[in-house]
Amino acid sequence: MSAATFRMAVVRDPGGPRPIDLIEVPVIEPGPGEIRVEVAGATVNPVDLAVAGGFFHSLGLINQPDRTGLGWDFAGTVAAAGPGVDVAVGTRVAGLIAGLDRDFGPYAEQLVVSAADVAVVPDGLDLVAAATVPLNALTAAQIMDLLGDAPADGDRLLVTGAAGAVGAYVVSLATDRGWRVTGLARAQDEEFVRGLGADFTTAAEPGWDAVADGGVFQERGVALVRDGGRFVGVQPAVMPAAERGITVVAVSAHPDGPRLAGLLARTVSGELPARVHAVVPLDQVADAHREVAKGGLRGRYVLVP
Ligand SMILES: NC(=O)c1ccc[n+]([C@@H]2O[C@H](COP(=O)([O-])OP(=O)(O)OC[C@H]3O[C@@H](n4cnc5c(N)ncnc54)[C@H](OP(=O)(O)O)[C@@H]3O)[C@@H](O)[C@H]2O)c1
């Protein structure tokens, strides 16, 4: 990296055979309320594959003429702080950039982000592991906001994709809110899901008071909810239809620095999982996407600039 530029991975040809390019872009200084982070790790999540594959461009949700930024969650070190920011240079932080329609993202050497959207990474949690927390733990916490506390007339929650990133966090957080949780996952995930404190199934019958759909079952997930129950999906852009008086909503993950601080504290204590499958250099981003696309991973690829 030269003094005045940094490297960033972007989508130049969404849906094309080589959608991702590494480019050099000018360093920008943080504005009021912002920090510049030297990225130590950026997590590869399923949404990034959908961006590179052109899914959101085809829905009209991304309209970037030149390049689309990649990545949502990251961890790194504060390199500069803008006016009004009381965070020391060198502080270790993790955070989340939400939204799809942007020309920058954490798949980069540097990132300018609102200081309110990051949390300090506690001692004892390395930055690569911390990078895997923000998107999926906050999504799960925000799913729990949508589900609410277990009602008196029915507390049986089915979490589909319970061994996945979002699903495992929902399993971990739902018991706090009084739900009796069953995780639906592959047969080989039984030990992991039970280890989170949930019952386990590979194939659920209908009749659940609520379904949290980390496995993206969509209509098949709604069909598992009892009449008048609740369904929380993970795909706000393509919502399944409501039926039989069921409340159908979908989460849209958004940054929340203070809440992330609590989730990181629960990670360093071992209460919440931090699952890293592999750490790869940023310039191998295309290989990482190809591996993630094969499916079946139980942990994240983290890109290191
Ligand atoms: N709306 C938002 O703000 C938001 C935020 C975060 C994530 N998301 C979305 O949420 C979804 C889940 O994300 P994630 O990161 O948790 O993905 P993930 O880690 O791949 O988890 C999905 C899990 O579902 C499992 N699964 C799928 N079909 C199954 C079946 N029939 N039986 C049992 N298990 C099944 C998968 O197992 P296999 O790997 O074996 O198939 C995997 O373990 C993605 O679509 C992501 O884009 C949305």
Side-chain angles (χ1 to χ4, degrees):
M1 187 184 76
S2 77
T5 64
F6 67 96
R7 289 186 314 149
M8 178 161 68
V10 297
V11 175
R12 276 267 170 78
D13 182 21
R18 284 187 62 255
I20 303 174
D21 277 333
L22 271 173
I23 62 171
E24 292 273 340
V25 294
V27 168
I28 48 174
E29 293 307 322
E34 292 180 335
I35 52 176
R36 190 172 73 233
V37 176
E38 200 83 37
V39 176
T43 302
V44 177
N45 288 293
V47 63
D48 304 324
L49 275 67
V51 170
F55 175 69
F56 298 108
H57 295 79
S58 71
L59 291 180
L61 296 174
I62 297 179
N63 185 17
Q64 293 294 328
D66 177 39
R67 65 181 199 227
T68 306
L70 277 169
W72 283 55
D73 49 2
F74 62 91
T77 306
V78 175
V85 177
D86 186 21
V87 180
V89 167
T91 304
R92 300 180 337 130
V93 295
L96 169 66
I97 300 216
L100 296 158
D101 194 16
R102 49 180 157 81
D103 67 0
F104 69 99
Y107 280 29
E109 289 173 323
Q110 297 185 3
L111 183 66
V112 171
V113 62
S114 167
D117 293 350
V118 305
V120 173
V121 175
D123 292 344
L125 187 62
D126 72 71
L127 290 176
V128 164
T132 66
V133 175
L135 174 62
N136 297 302
L138 280 171
T139 298
Q142 291 161 4
I143 285 172
M144 293 317 304
D145 293 343
L146 293 168
L147 270 178
D149 293 333
D153 65 344
D155 62 359
R156 293 177 65 241
L157 170 66
L158 178 73
V159 179
T160 69
V166 172
Y169 282 121
V170 174
V171 168
S172 301
L173 298 177
T175 44
D176 294 353
R177 307 286 295 259
W179 291 95
R180 275 189 298 148
V181 183
T182 298
L184 186 157
R186 309 282 183 199
Q188 63 268 30
D189 297 316
E190 177 166 1
E191 189 180 338
F192 172 76
V193 173
R194 288 194 188 279
L196 299 173
D199 286 340
F200 175 81
T201 184
T202 56
E205 296 295 320
W208 299 84
D209 299 307
V211 168
D213 196 24
V216 201
F217 282 26
Q218 298 282 73
E219 285 77 8
R220 287 181 298 135
V222 175
L224 294 172
V225 182
R226 70 160 162 84
D227 295 0
R230 309 178 197 183
F231 173 91
V232 182
V234 293
Q235 307 256 301
V238 278
M239 295 267 287
E243 58 181 63
R244 297 178 290 110
I246 296 166
T247 305
V248 174
V249 294
V251 70
S252 287
H254 48 272
D256 184 338
R259 196 170 208 182
L260 175 58
L263 294 162
L264 289 167
R266 292 175 74 168
T267 307
V268 77
S269 72
E271 202 185 324
L272 294 177
R275 294 185 289 165
V276 176
H277 173 78
V279 181
V280 297
L282 179 62
D283 57 15
Q284 291 175 22
V285 51
D287 296 334
H289 272 216
R290 266 191 293 278
E291 289 305 313
V292 174
K294 291 176 186 168
L297 296 179
R298 297 294 181 265
R300 291 279 111 120
Y301 270 81
V302 179
L303 302 169
V304 174

